[in-house]
Amino acid sequence: MNYRARYINVKKAIEQDQTQQSDNDSSEDEGNIFEYVPLSKTSQSERIHPMDVQMAVFHCSDGFLKQLMVTKLSQCQYALPLLVPDPFTRQIEFPLWTFRQINKSWKMRNSNNKIISKTQPIYKAETPVVFFFRFGSVSLSKSQLMNSLINEKHNTFFHRNCPGSSRTRVLMDGVVEIAWFCPSEKDTDNFNDCLAFCNLHGDAGDHEKQLQILTEMASVNVVLLPQLDKNDRCAAQIQNLFKKKIPLICLLTEDESTVKKMKKEKFIIGLKNRNQSDVSEELRRAINECLSYTSYRHENVFTNLKFKNSDIRVDEEDDDDCRRGREAAQQMITSLEKKNLTEIKESFLPHQGKLWHQWCQKNKELYRPQTDQIEQEKGMKKTEMNNIRKQQHNSNISEFMNYFIKEMHSNNEHEKTFFLNWLRILLDEYTSADLTTLHHKYNKKWSTVVKLKENHNKSEQLREELDKISEDLQAASFGLEHIMREIGQIYESCFSVKESKKGLQIDFSSLPRLAAEMMISGFPLELMDGDAAHVPVIWISAVLDQLIQKLGDQRVFVLSVLGIQSSGKSTMLNAMFGLQFAVSAGRCTKGAFMQLVRLSDEMKTQMNFDYILVVDTEGLRALELAGRSTRDHDNELATFVVGLGNLTLINIFGENPSEMQETLQIVVQAFMRMKEVRLSPSCVFVHQNVSDITAGEKNMEGKRRLQEKLDEMTKLAAKDEVYDAECFSDVIAFDVQNDVKYFAQLWEGSPPMAPPNPNYCENIQELKETILSNVSKSHGIMLKDLIDRIKDLWEALLNERFVFSFRNSLEISAYRRLETEYSKWSWSLRSAMRETENKLYNKIENEAIHEVEETGLLGELKRTSEEVKKSMSEFFEKDKNKDILIQWTISFEIKIKDVEENIVRETNRKLNEILQQRDLKKKIDAQRTQHENTLYEKSKALALKLKDKNNDEETLKKEFNLFWEQSVKKIIRDTPSIKDIDIMRDVRGILSNSYESVHVDLCRDSSEYNKVATVQSYSAYVQLKTSSGMKEQVEDKFRGWFGYGPLSKEDDVQIKSLVTDVSEQTDKMIQSFNISKMGYNISCIQQLIDYIKARIVKHEGGPVKYVFKNDFFMDLVLWICERANNIITDQHRLFRDANDPKIYVEKKREEYYSIFQEYCRGATSTAIFAEIICQKLKEPIEQSVYKQTAKDLADEMISNCESLNGNRSNLEKHILKRLAEEEDFDKYMDYIETPKDHFKSFIRDEVSRYISDKFSVSVLLKMKKNIELLKTTIVESAYKSTEHVQVYCGDVGLWLESFTQQLKDLLIFSEKDLSGVKHDDVNDFKLLEEVISDKFPKKMSEISSKFNTDTFDEKLDFEFRPEGLLIDHFCQCCWVQCPFCAAICTNTIENHPGDHSVPFHRVDGVNGWYYHQTDDLSAVFCTSLVTSGLKFHASNELFPYNEYRKAGGVYAEWSITSDCSELPYWKWFVCRFQKDLEKHYNKTFKGRGEIPPEWRTHEKHDAIQSLEKLTVRTDRTDKT
């Protein structure tokens, strides 16, 4: 808005070429000066007139750009085009629309001779009109002369002597410009009233229409001509003007005489050889004398031109969209007529009145409970809020609002924009008079109050009157923002009751789209309701969602501004970005507004942004209007906009230290809060209205003072926030040299006639460049994330304790995405290592390898590891929130490295155990091989004896059965069978024999010792240590607050952790025993019991105040061993089936009979050997197929199984859903008390269910696919082995070696499996290959035919089952439970840094908490308790819940934020299982623990449906 821009020279290309040509003449001695004279003439004639440039742009613009141009010209105090001839048709246009945004202010005396201020839209102003025109060519500039009358220091009208002017112009001739003189009631005023000056460009004789219109409308006509000559062609027109009653002043450029009065109101003034100042003074006096007569007219130029001149074209009438927009807006205004302005909002906009304000108050109270009955109070508040919403919903929609919605919904974009602009114009016009009166009354009353205060006289009546005027002012403020606020409340009420509104012509879900379209069109949207001091989060979120629908999820840079009231914040933003924030007197910003600024395509590529979102706010310390501007409100506002902005402009008016101090303390406190919640906005300080900004030393001194003041305010704010900071730079990165700007005064001179100060405009540009520099370095925020940021900030502010309550959703969301990716990376490593493990397991069993080292395993994992690293690198570099993710890059790289090392270490341990067990197992295997070989040789001998009876099948069968029965009896006689086991008998035996001090009750029921894992307090299991070394029993009478006495909650948590860890470690020990391969031995139980005892002793030796009773050791052993009973028994059964001679040999009967038949039929040794190979391969193939299918299934389930295809929170959601569907209280308590075990059990059930449900469509197909792959591999191996033997002329040993080597990775099959089978006479390798190729498919079919859901569990070793891999994947995470409600931390990383957290907490009573010295279970969520000052007991002390971290220990490690959006699931659970919970804890939900009635409204389907919030809210959980 720099008015000097008009003086930029514009030259044609010819002149530039000629200039270059002249510059290129390099000879210094040659040439003639006279040759260059024509060049200079050409240059002068070729220069483009600046006003031609202005008019060319004007002609090429649409209505909105024309209006913007004219508004800016007016702000620069330039003349405006009033009548504009079309450059082609010469049709005269009156651009009335372009004047609609212009207001003028001036001071004048009223009839009582008192000075009054007046502000009017210029199109409504009735002022005298002074019309200047000329006839012929005159030697003096008419425009320059006019400037001397209006503003001697400013070129209101462009004239021939202005910089850049040229003698020729194309588009200005015939244009009539208008400008106004606005008096300030100072002695320096040239005129006492507001005057309109009109200037006809060009010879008036050539523009008769314009001349006629203006001379008839003018109050004074001023004509310039060389001299009065009756022979001149304009003589008749001059004579005609002279005869009219309208005053006439003739300015003669060729006359030297002073002013002459020809007759009344007729003057002649000579200009030749006259002093310009004298001429101006004479002309001013003449005009004033003409206007002093009572008969002079106050003319409304615009009304006159519009209605009295039908032959000129009015732009508003010519543009159909503009006309229809005006008509629609006028229709709305008509409905407001004859209404008291202070009652209009109550009548026409009922949704934003008292009901909305009541709802806002209740919502704040909801977050700030005042009683001990927190949930009861919250339930009542929610009920009240719902009732208010219903009342809102039942409120009628006025015709006014319905008409607005209809117009916005039905019109095209162009017409809609006209409609909105017209409505804003007409509303301002409608309310301005009453608002001015009310402001005048307020100022008058306030002045009276101030005088009384000075006299120490307090008048309550005057104060009440002042408050009443304040309320009237608030009620009378009525603009477009209030209409949109009403739409927002209509939407929120409909959204809350989930029903569209009666009388609403469109579905309420369409309303946010209207607001989004307005934002895209450049209209600001109210972000914070300034009257209610509340953010309508539902409405704002819906509008931004619609914005995303229309624009896509764009990345925006948020620029916010803070400063005291009337310090020029909105003016600065409007000037910088061409925005539309309200700046007129009496229309100060209230609340906060946001407006989109679209970046150009060029800037988008430079900035990596699509839009800047500018947030304008109400001033700090805004004392009038609502009367509620306290420091708390200012702190709320500052915190909100600072948290929202990527950059905040801190606007300071002048350098008054006292004004600065309060503002700076608020600002510093806001930035301190951002630092504490890990937001990193930046700031720039802007000093407005600084008188001398050129003095560098003064600026340096000012910056030094500001730095000192900021450091001082930081120390003060640090005390309030309990934060450690000594200087402002501890809080935010701040460079006092670059982040402090000094602004010149806005006006160059004294308003109302002063133009904007060019220095101010330059300061604006410098600030804009600084902002854009910040933009280019910032990552901004996505619109979707902005929604969460607004919610987070507002919810935290509602909770009063901002830092304590804030959830950084954007950071949390980024972290959760990182966790999801981490889950994929770790699964890739686990899956790859499982494949390697299977391969090496086969090699170990085949005795192909005799050692396994970690380096070798790392090498096997190298390719997958590199892929994971590449994927990690791409994620951290390309994710949309990479600037946030960067803080975790190193820690997650280390974490993945740890996962890789742990997987390798664990796999190495398992494989080396298998290596050790392989050697121990050799005896078992040798014995089994001996039995097989004995049977083989004997059956072969029998077959040779019965060879001649090969056709008598019955005889052969009979003889074989007799032989078989005799052989089996001998084997069983020589080798005892493997007996069944009784684990619990062995456990009790060891406890009785090895631990004599432990009294073992052999008849003790499992329900008694199982409580060791679920008991609420371990007080009954311990004895306290005393200083004398004696032990003292814990009595129930010592129990304290919420049921936890001498054993503190921390002690119970420690013991529970011990029980859990011992349980997990013993599970691993049992797996390492490999009972399915090695068999059961009572030493396994001895090892378990010894380990448990060692852990208890170690725990007692630590820093604990108690020792365990024997009952604890006994119950822990019995519980763990009973848990392991089924696993050990099942594994022992597998071992028995594989190694008990009776069972094992019987399974081989058909296999040996088949070989026996082949011998009887005279088959060759080669054919028999091939048959034996096929028979021997059946079991390894079966095992390989099951193992590979299990791995494939795990990969498939992690992708396709609904409960397993996400993160741990998704899995928990499905667990809770299943629990609700089954309604089994015991399972619920298992989940609550032993969550990890329950998760494992659920995963096993899911795998079993998946295999059962998907067996035919997925599992069986995978098994058949894997068996086909094996079949192909085996046949190819036989072929390659035959080739190998033929090349090297080998024997059957070489063939067998080659064959088994090719299969060693895939199958547990080696030469030792055929060691007892004589094959020396096998030499036909081609036949061997052919028999295998022929027989093998049949064997595969036999294997395939037995595939079913039952055999899957039976045939697959425990360690290779898919649930094992999935349990490792999902359960190697954080399992720490909330100390209050036992909710499980949702972090997917074990031993993660930072706090534990969970998206939704539970009711504390679910975990057995109850009130001190009562039997009342707690019916409160811990997220509600932490907002209160109620106390709990920990470490023998009482701590307030709102300072729960001070309790230390587990409490200090949890982040529990206040939250009013508890999961309905747990409310339903408490109501549904109230009696079960009461029985379980032997307490009741009565008294202080009374269940709120609202909870009982939730049905099971509501509870299950609410679980969907879990996966959404996980992205809103506090980052840990």
Side-chain angles (χ1 to χ4, degrees), residues 1225 1228 1232 1406 1465-1473 1477:
F1225 179 73
Y1228 262 113
I1232 290 166
V1406 169
Y1465 185 93
W1466 292 108
K1467 296 178 181 178
W1468 167 81
F1469 169 77
V1470 168
C1471 296
R1472 168 63 182 82
F1473 294 102
L1477 286 165

Side-chain angles (χ1 to χ4, degrees), residues 128-130 132 145 149 190-191 195 197 219-223 246-251 258-271 274 277-293 296:
V129 178
V130 181
F132 278 73
L145 187 59
L149 298 174
N190 285 339
F191 306 98
L195 299 184
F197 285 85
S219 303
V220 179
N221 286 314
V222 181
V223 57
I246 299 172
L248 175 67
I249 300 173
C250 296
L251 303 178
T258 57
V259 60
K260 293 179 183 177
K261 187 173 183 180
M262 296 177 284
K263 63 176 185 178
K264 184 182 178 182
E265 301 178 358
K266 303 292 189 285
F267 295 88
I268 294 177
I269 301 176
L271 303 179
R274 298 284 309 280
S277 178
D278 293 343
V279 170
S280 297
E281 180 61 23
E282 289 176 1
L283 182 56
R284 182 186 69 79
R285 288 176 183 170
I287 292 171
N288 275 326
E289 186 176 338
C290 291
L291 296 176
S292 65
Y293 298 108
Y296 86 86

Side-chain angles (χ1 to χ4, degrees), residues 567-722:
S567 60
K569 301 182 303 299
S570 301
T571 301
M572 177 176 67
L573 294 175
N574 290 351
M576 200 177 330
F577 297 111
L579 305 181
Q580 300 184 33
F581 294 124
V583 294
S584 57
R587 288 294 306 280
C588 290
T589 305
K590 288 192 64 184
F593 287 81
M594 57 182 178
Q595 189 169 346
L596 277 176
V597 178
R598 185 175 182 178
L599 297 181
S600 66
D601 292 339
E602 182 184 354
M603 290 187 73
K604 280 182 186 179
T605 56
Q606 296 172 4
M607 306 295 175
N608 197 29
F609 281 95
D610 304 288
Y611 293 88
I612 293 176
L613 185 73
V614 182
V615 179
D616 188 23
T617 61
E618 73 177 67
L620 304 175
R621 294 171 33 205
L623 297 178
E624 82 277 28
L625 302 181
R628 53 160 184 76
S629 183
T630 63
R631 177 170 175 149
D632 287 340
H633 170 68
D634 285 350
N635 281 341
E636 274 187 15
L637 183 67
T639 303
F640 184 68
V641 298
V642 165
L644 204 56
N646 299 112
L647 172 66
T648 303
L649 301 178
I650 313 299
N651 200 52
I652 300 171
F653 194 72
E655 296 182 275
N656 186 313
S658 61
E659 286 187 353
M660 280 173 57
Q661 178 157 331
E662 192 170 346
T663 303
L664 291 181
Q665 187 166 354
I666 291 168
V667 168
V668 169
Q669 198 159 351
F671 278 110
M672 193 170 287
R673 289 171 169 180
M674 296 308 109
K675 176 83 169 180
E676 289 184 81
V677 297
R678 297 186 303 277
L679 296 183
S680 303
S682 51
C683 70
V684 172
F685 287 87
V686 179
H687 281 277
Q688 296 259 17
N689 207 39
V690 178
S691 56
D692 183 10
I693 63 166
T694 58
E697 288 145 6
K698 182 179 177 184
N699 286 353
M700 288 301 295
E701 174 64 16
K703 289 178 180 179
R704 183 187 63 78
R705 285 203 311 271
L706 176 64
Q707 182 76 67
E708 289 174 355
K709 187 62 69 176
L710 284 170
D711 292 345
E712 180 187 337
M713 293 303 104
T714 299
K715 291 176 184 177
L716 288 173
K719 291 179 182 177
D720 287 349
E721 294 292 321
V722 194

Side-chain angles (χ1 to χ4, degrees), residues 1311-1493:
E1311 294 173 77
K1312 70 174 183 176
D1313 292 303
L1314 296 165
S1315 59
V1317 180
K1318 292 182 179 179
H1319 46 261
D1320 299 340
D1321 53 346
V1322 175
N1323 50 27
D1324 190 345
F1325 303 115
K1326 196 67 179 173
L1327 177 62
L1328 182 62
E1329 175 200 332
E1330 288 173 358
V1331 173
I1332 290 175
S1333 300
D1334 180 54
K1335 295 273 187 180
F1336 204 68
K1338 184 181 176 184
K1339 300 295 181 187
M1340 295 294 101
S1341 298
E1342 289 175 11
I1343 296 171
S1344 298
S1345 66
K1346 296 178 182 178
F1347 289 159
N1348 58 60
T1349 53
D1350 294 332
T1351 59
F1352 198 89
D1353 274 344
E1354 292 172 6
K1355 298 288 185 182
L1356 190 60
D1357 283 352
F1358 179 80
E1359 59 192 296
F1360 295 113
R1361 290 179 182 176
E1363 57 263 38
L1365 197 57
L1366 291 166
I1367 286 170
D1368 284 346
H1369 178 65
F1370 280 107
C1371 295
Q1372 289 190 10
C1373 54
C1374 187
W1375 289 99
V1376 178
Q1377 291 180 272
C1378 172
F1380 298 115
C1381 71
I1384 314 156
C1385 173
T1386 52
N1387 201 297
T1388 57
I1389 300 172
E1390 206 169 9
N1391 302 319
H1392 59 85
D1395 293 333
H1396 302 294
S1397 63
V1398 62
F1400 288 99
H1401 285 262
R1402 306 169 187 165
V1403 181
D1404 285 5
V1406 169
N1407 194 29
W1409 281 70
Y1410 62 92
Y1411 290 95
H1412 178 47
Q1413 295 180 342
T1414 74
D1415 287 332
D1416 302 340
L1417 281 168
S1418 171
V1420 188
F1421 286 86
C1422 44
T1423 48
S1424 299
L1425 284 167
V1426 294
T1427 65
S1428 73
L1430 295 176
K1431 295 183 179 181
F1432 67 96
H1433 192 271
S1435 303
N1436 298 318
E1437 289 185 56
L1438 290 174
F1439 296 94
Y1441 272 101
N1442 55 17
E1443 296 178 357
Y1444 69 90
R1445 286 181 186 264
K1446 289 185 177 179
V1450 67
Y1451 299 98
E1453 296 169 357
W1454 270 84
S1455 173
I1456 308 171
T1457 56
S1458 170
D1459 187 7
C1460 288
S1461 55
E1462 307 97 348
L1463 206 62
Y1465 185 93
W1466 292 108
K1467 296 178 181 178
W1468 167 81
F1469 169 77
V1470 168
C1471 296
R1472 168 63 182 82
F1473 294 102
Q1474 178 180 348
K1475 293 187 183 302
D1476 300 277
L1477 286 165
E1478 290 174 341
K1479 182 180 177 182
H1480 184 80
Y1481 293 114
N1482 196 26
K1483 300 285 183 288
T1484 61
F1485 284 104
K1486 291 182 180 177
R1488 295 176 70 185
E1490 187 75 33
I1491 296 173

Side-chain angles (χ1 to χ4, degrees), residues 409-435:
H409 193 68
S410 58
N411 292 336
N412 63 57
E413 290 301 317
H414 203 243
E415 184 179 336
K416 196 184 298 181
T417 308
F418 270 116
F419 165 69
L420 289 170
N421 277 284
W422 271 114
L423 185 58
R424 185 161 56 183
I425 290 164
L426 296 178
L427 280 173
D428 283 348
E429 179 184 326
Y430 181 75
T431 60
S432 59
D434 286 346
L435 280 173

Side-chain angles (χ1 to χ4, degrees), residues 45-177:
S45 64
E46 292 297 337
R47 181 178 292 167
I48 300 174
H49 197 285
M51 293 305 291
D52 280 343
V53 176
Q54 176 183 304
M55 292 312 297
V57 175
F58 186 86
H59 284 299
C60 295
S61 302
D62 67 1
F64 296 113
L65 185 52
K66 283 181 180 177
Q67 187 182 73
L68 180 64
M69 280 183 63
V70 170
T71 304
K72 294 294 183 185
L73 287 170
S74 175
Q75 289 170 352
C76 290
Q77 298 292 354
Y78 280 144
L80 316 176
L82 181 68
L83 295 178
V84 182
D86 187 285
F88 303 106
T89 66
R90 306 311 294 172
Q91 167 75 41
I92 299 172
E93 181 188 48
F94 169 36
L96 175 57
W97 168 250
T98 64
F99 290 86
R100 293 290 184 181
Q101 299 277 11
I102 300 171
N103 291 311
K104 291 289 182 182
S105 299
W106 65 90
K107 290 184 178 181
M108 56 185 292
R109 292 185 181 273
N110 62 10
S111 56
N112 297 324
N113 203 34
K114 287 187 176 180
I115 297 174
I116 59 170
S117 296
K118 196 168 184 179
T119 299
Q120 263 191 318
I122 201 59
Y123 65 86
K124 289 188 70 181
E126 294 184 353
T127 64
V129 178
V130 181
F131 175 41
F132 278 73
F133 56 97
R134 68 174 171 84
F135 286 114
S137 179
V138 294
S139 57
L140 291 178
S141 169
K142 165 170 50 69
S143 297
Q144 190 172 7
L145 187 59
M146 294 177 74
N147 290 343
S148 68
L149 298 174
I150 299 171
N151 187 346
E152 294 177 359
K153 299 177 181 179
H154 186 61
N155 292 318
T156 305
F157 292 93
F158 193 90
H159 56 83
R160 67 184 65 169
N161 297 318
C162 286
S165 180
S166 64
R167 288 184 296 179
T168 59
R169 62 187 183 198
V170 179
L171 300 175
M172 278 302 291
D173 277 358
V175 173
V176 177
E177 288 188 302

Side-chain angles (χ1 to χ4, degrees), residues 1097-1114:
V1097 171
K1098 182 180 179 182
H1099 185 85
E1100 289 175 334
V1104 296
K1105 63 183 181 183
Y1106 53 83
V1107 292
F1108 292 107
K1109 297 179 184 177
N1110 286 334
D1111 285 351
F1112 178 78
F1113 169 62
M1114 182 183 70

